[in-house]
Every structure is written in structure tokens, then in C-alpha cells.
Amino acid sequence: MSIDGPFLLPADVSLTPVAELSENVRSRISCKPNDWAVSRPHARLPSSIIGDETATLLGFFRQPQPIVDAVITFSEVNSLDPDKVLDDAFPVLEKFINDGLLVREGSPLAQPIRTSRTFRDSIGSFQVVRPVQVMVDTELYLARTTDGRSIALKLASKTAGPRAVKLLEREATVLSLLDGGVNPSLVEYGVDESQVFVAMSWCNGIDLQRAADEIRRLNQPDPWEALLELAKGVLRAYAHLHGQGFLQGDVHPRNALVDDQGHVWLLDYGLAQEVGMSREFGEVQPLRGGIDMFMEPEWAKACLANERTHSGLTVPGEQYSVAAMLYLLLAGGYTHEFSLENQEMLRQIVEEEPLPFTYYDIQAPPGIESILRRALQKNPDDRFSSLAELSRAFDQVSWLANGVDGARVSGSSQFRTGSEFVDRVIGRLTFTGSMMDEVLPAPTASVMNGAAGLAYALLKVATVRDDEHLLAAADVWSMRALEAREPEAYWNPDVGIVEKRFGRSSLYHTEVGVHCVAALVATARQDDVGVSEAVERFLAVTERLSGDGDVVLGEAGVLLGCAELVECRLPIQESLLTRLEQAGDGIAERIAQRAGKPTSFTNDGLKYLGIAHGWSGILFSLLRWDDVRGREPRSVVVDGLDDLLGLASPVGRGLIWPRVFGLTEEDRALDTSWCNGAAGFVHLWALAQRSTGDERYGRAAEGAAWAAYEGPSLVGDLCCGLAGRAYALLGMFGASAEDHWLVRARDLGLRAIDMIEKSDKPYHSLYKGCVGVAVLWSEIDFPEMAQMPLFANEGQGTGRM
């Protein structure tokens, strides 16, 4: 290795004192108190541990300089012999150079690892939608074909060496020889702007580890039936692959996906080989990959002895790797309490027996552990003859409910926790609660943040509990909202809620919503006079609408208010009901006349696509109104729905839509929210399917629901968080009558409670605080009554999808 010329430590290489690592991690690393961990995001290599002096020396390369100069400076600072320092440091520096952590000045590897292509870039005949995974040598994108099909496009990065190109070539060759039953199908292998790429069919799903964790969370205290089905699916997939004469060569949970039907897809064939290596795919020495925790003992032994003369990939070896992965999925932990030091980990694989399941405090159905232990034998000859035989052994195991205690508390205990949360939150709003005597922070009256929202929350809980006490409290809060005076009633400049920004037409932020809620509360209390007065006030303010379009700030939201009032069968005179219907018809007509297609940027320049502020909300409000009025969806809505369908892209088991048409975003935090993401789309597509009978919309609703469930847990509230997503799943349950959506809604609801209680969200806010989450949990056992507050129609679930 030449050491001439300046070298540089890239900016995205991190040096972290091990003292700052968690105690659990430190206990599993062979390190000294003053050692450092070095890592690079997106690099293929794991973090490594170096000594204090080496870390200090590496620090000199934050600015480019020759190795000799850095060694001399380091030696002078520390009063050391530079020749000895260079002799001692050279092997370490050579390793960092080979690993791409110390690079020459001007090298492409000196830049942080980033994508080379962006949204709508062309790669061959394909168009990029978004990056999926970026490594130092390869980039994986979701892309579309010219006819709109989603594909996975794997691209050699601009800094990739010959090895990465060979891996892509091998993967394309292997995929061309497989039948597509458990693998992506090859679409094209080519070169674009000197970058080699492999285009393959897109496989929906979540990785095996996530699937197993989900099963434990949803099926405790006894998850074994579902865990066994997952394991059997994995074994069938590998047996199918081996039956075609191929080994995957890179077994770990992230290289397999489980789709919404439970089918297992095996990914990443760059290291795959034919059984017996009868075909070399252009390489004299096939490569070997994988993750050490799933490595078979015979290969670990070869690594320890530095005798890796070939890949070592065999049928019995891959059987061990698959069994080690299944052990993790079933037991919830690895076969060994692995050291994070590589040599010690390899020794454990070679010498130590797998831990018993009892180590993880689980009791598996009879036969499971003994089957796995046979597949995990140190001697390859003692394992099953094939993956097919191992798969058949698993197929003989039957599930028996055995009352296994999971790591989490039982469902009944969680339910009590949820009910206690509702009692605590709602109790504060009643006559004996603390908030009755408090002055709310501005805005004091609105549905979103003030007394009207609290009245609506109490109304919802009173309805499911048939509680007159709560209904009376709802009436008190409704009166407080009506009596509030501006500017405090609706505005608060300190938090950015001002008339210039929010306007006068919002159902959620202005007097429009206050009068709508008053009418609903009066209806529940059978106060006919109060209902008529509230509807008169509601109609009076609708006559002064500003004409803005979206759901949260404009006429689309007011139209939803009209739908809510008409739908609840108000005890009012026919003439007043006619005026209300005419008002809704007028608003709907104005919205429809402004509407074009989501991709056309018409409708006053509306560019967002989500429910709260965008196109899906416009279409939903029109659909909802026409549904209430018993009319067929208007053509502009159908055209808009079809336009939106074409903008969906797959993620996990589901579908998401861009927040802003025509733009890609780094921040994807709202991809699955009610306000801007998939959860809002569930309501749209479910109603569209019910209104039109078009099964495409039903499939879109299901895809949106999967995305809403799988998204990251960032906040717990209705608007942007888990509670709003839970309501979407309740809507999906109502539309499909499939029980698993109700189970998943409960899961999100419990997580929402946990998250909102730990947050600094405004306690009293319906959409942003604890109150909305309490309403969700109060309705979760009455899904036929569940309604995203002041948005979706009550009782919309019919099980017709």
C-alpha cells in the first residue's frame, strides 16, 4: 500500500468514546475504559473498537494530510518516537484505508455517503420515485416503469469498485435463472451513465425480525400459532429456492420480507450460488457474505484458522444459518449470548451449544426446540438432509395454546390501563374535575384547541357509555365555547394561530365548529330549541365563508360539518333542514367548480395531497356530502380519485402518497399520519369504494391502512400521530370486517396513550392532546360507533369491502 499523498477521515465517520455507550453494549465488547468506537453510516462494515492513541491519531486526519506528516505531528505532541509510532500504527491505518474509513483527498469516498439519483431521475427507461437504502457501494431505489409498475432498482454507486459490479452482475444472472416464486423477477440488467444497475420486481412486505416482533405484540400472551406459521413460511421459501438448485448465500432477517398474505420473499442474490458451485458466473472464486450470528460452525472454524480458500457455502451450512435465524424469530434472542468481539463470537459458534429456550423464559410448543437443535448441530452430517426435510419436520408441529407468559403484560391488563387513562382524562373535564374551574389557554373556544373540542370529546364518550353525567358536562363546555369572546376565543399569536393565517372558514379553528358542536350536543340532549338555534347560527356563519378550499382551514371542512349535521337527523323543522341541505349543496358546488386534478395544480394553487390541507381532503368532503345526500359521486371526484391512485408508491406491506405533488422530501415523518399521510387516505379510499363499488379503491384503502399501521411512532395525537392512525384502522375494520384491523387499532391506541402521556402536547386539545386519545380509546370497543372526530361519518363501517 502506498502512503504517498494526503489522506482524509470523511466527515460522516464518527469517533465515539466507549464510555458514552450503554452499559449493555459495553458489557458485550472487549474494550478498555479509554477505547473508542469508530463507525460510518451506510457503510457495510460494522463499528470497530480502537485504542485511545489510535483514535487521537485518526483525529489528525479530519484535515487532509500525508500519513507521515500526521504521525510526526502526533509523535511530537505526545513525545513519542515517530518511527515506532509509524510501525505500530501502519497495520491499523492500512485496515482503515482498505475499509474505506480513511481515504485519499479528492476521492469520491471522501464525501458523506449519499444518493446519486433523485426523484424523477431516469435510470435506463425507469424513473426514480425515492431512495430505499444507500450504502457506500450500492444504492437501492423504488422506481417506476413506463407503464407505471413499481420496481426495485439496485445501482452500483459512482464510488463502487469492481466487487460491487460483480455482485450486481451475479444477482442479475441468478434472478434470470429462478422462477419468481420466492424471489424478485429480473426486469433488466444494464448500464446508465457508467453505473451498472439491476431492475427487478418490487416485493411488498416487512422484514422477518419486524414480523416476529409484531406477532409477539399482537398475539400475546400466546403468539405461537402465528410464530409457527411465520417459521413454516420461511422454511417453505428456502426449500423452494434450494429445490431450484440455488443457495442464497446471505441469510439474515433483513434479507426476507413477509407480505400482507404471509408469503415470504427472499431478497439479495449477489452472493448466491448454485448447489455444488457448478456455475461460476464469471468469478473464479465465489464471494461469501452473511452476518456472523447466523454463520455455520464449519465456516466459523475456517475463519478462525484463516483457511477461507473458497466461499464455503453448502446446503448443510445454509440450513444451519436458516435455523439460527428461526431461533431468533421464535425465541426472541440469538442462539448464543454473543460477544461483539469478532474472534470471540466465532469461537462461540464453533465450541458452544445453542442456549436453551428457557434462557429466554419461553416455553415453546413440543418438538420445536428439538427440531432446531438438530438443524444447529456442529457436525453438518448430523443435520437434516435438506431444507425440505427440515420444512416437513416443522409442518408436523401443531400449535397448542399453553398459556405462555410473554415479555409484555396480558391484553386484559393493557385494557385496564387504557380505561384508566380515559377515566383520568375525561374525569378532569366533568363537574368534579379540575379543568371546570380553570381558564383555558387561548384559543379558548375552538374545536381544535378549546372548549368546543372538549364538549365534543365528552359527547363522544357519553354516547358510548350512555352517561347522562358526561353529556351534561359536554353541554357546559359547549356553552363556555359559545360565550367566549374574541380574540382569545379563536386566536393566540404566541402559538401562531392568527386570523390572517387561519381565516374565518375553519370548522376546527373558528365559530363554525363551535355552532356545529353545539347542535350535536343539543341533539343528544333532546333539546329541540337548542338544536334549531345552533343550526341557525351555523348557517349564518357559513354565509360569510372566505372560499378557501381545504378541510382544516376552509370550505371543505365546513362541508363535512354540514354532512355531520344532516346525517345525525336533527330534530328541526323541515324548512330549516332544507336550508342546511341547500347550504351544503352550494358549498359542494363551489368546491367542485374549482376542482381539477391533483396533478394539475388547479383549485387556487392547492399543491398538497393529504387530508388536512390537500387534494384527498377535497375529494373526501365531496364524496362524503354526496353520500349523505344519496347521490352518485360526481365525475370530477372520480377523475381526481383515479389521478391520486397513480401517485401511490409501495412501502412495507402498504402504500403511501407524496405529501406535495411533484416534489420529493427528506423528512418523511408525516407519511403515515392522518393530516398529511396514509391514515387520511384510508378514509378516502374506503368511502370511495363504498360509494362506487370500485375494488381498486378498496385495495388502495387496504394499502393505506397497512402503511398507517407500520409507520414510525413519533407522536401520539389524532392529527399527526398514532391515535389518528388508529382511527384509520378502525375505519378499515368497519369497511372490511377483518378482525386483524381492530387488533392493530388497539395496538396503536395503547402506544398512543403511552406516548401522549410522556409528551408536552397541550392536554386540553382535541386533535393535539390527551383528550383526543381518550376519545379514541373510549370508542375502541365500539368500532361500529367509532368516528375520527368531526370528520368521518358515524357508523360508516358496513363490512362491504
Side-chain angles (χ1 to χ4, degrees), residues 519-520 522-524 526 528 531 535 562-573 577 580-581 628:
L520 295 173
T523 298
Q526 300 180 8
D528 295 358
V531 174
V535 172
C562 292
E564 188 95 5
L565 294 176
V566 171
E567 188 176 52
C568 75
R569 298 179 181 178
L570 299 168
I572 56 178
Q573 293 180 352
L577 176 60
L580 180 60
E581 291 172 341
V628 168

Side-chain angles (χ1 to χ4, degrees), residues 9 20 85 155 217 257 279 307 325 339 404 435 437 504 535 576 748:
L9 195 69
E20 296 180 7
V85 169
L155 182 71
R217 192 172 64 246
L257 299 179
R279 193 185 318 233
E307 296 176 351
M325 181 173 68
S339 168
V404 177
M435 290 187 66
D437 298 324
R504 305 291 312 197
V535 172
L576 186 56
L748 290 186

Side-chain angles (χ1 to χ4, degrees), residues 763-784:
Y763 187 93
H764 57 279
S765 173
L766 177 62
Y767 264 75
K768 296 287 189 178
C770 290
V771 175
V773 181
V775 173
L776 163 73
W777 193 260
S778 72
E779 293 188 318
I780 214 156
D781 262 359
F782 304 91
E784 71 282 358

Side-chain angles (χ1 to χ4, degrees), residues 288 295-302 310 312-321 323 349-350 353 371-387 389-390:
R288 176 64 190 264
M295 182 184 295
E296 68 272 27
E298 53 269 34
W299 181 244
K301 185 176 181 180
H310 58 82
L313 193 59
T314 65
V315 171
E318 185 144 292
Q319 179 187 149
Y320 181 98
S321 297
I349 294 171
V350 173
E353 292 299 316
I371 292 173
L372 282 179
R373 283 192 171 277
R374 180 178 171 187
L376 293 169
Q377 289 294 306
K378 304 295 183 185
N379 186 343
D381 294 336
D382 294 333
R383 298 170 196 157
F384 291 92
S385 62
S386 66
L387 256 298
E389 185 185 2
L390 174 57

Side-chain angles (χ1 to χ4, degrees), residues 192 226 241 278-279 324 339 403 458 517 529 709 797:
D192 183 85
L241 178 64
S278 60
R279 193 185 318 233
S339 168
L458 286 163
V517 169
V529 174
Y709 177 67

Side-chain angles (χ1 to χ4, degrees), residues 434-442 444 477 480 488 764:
S434 59
M435 290 187 66
M436 274 289 186
D437 298 324
E438 294 178 6
V439 176
L440 294 179
T444 62
W477 282 107
R480 285 182 62 170
E488 291 82 5
H764 57 279

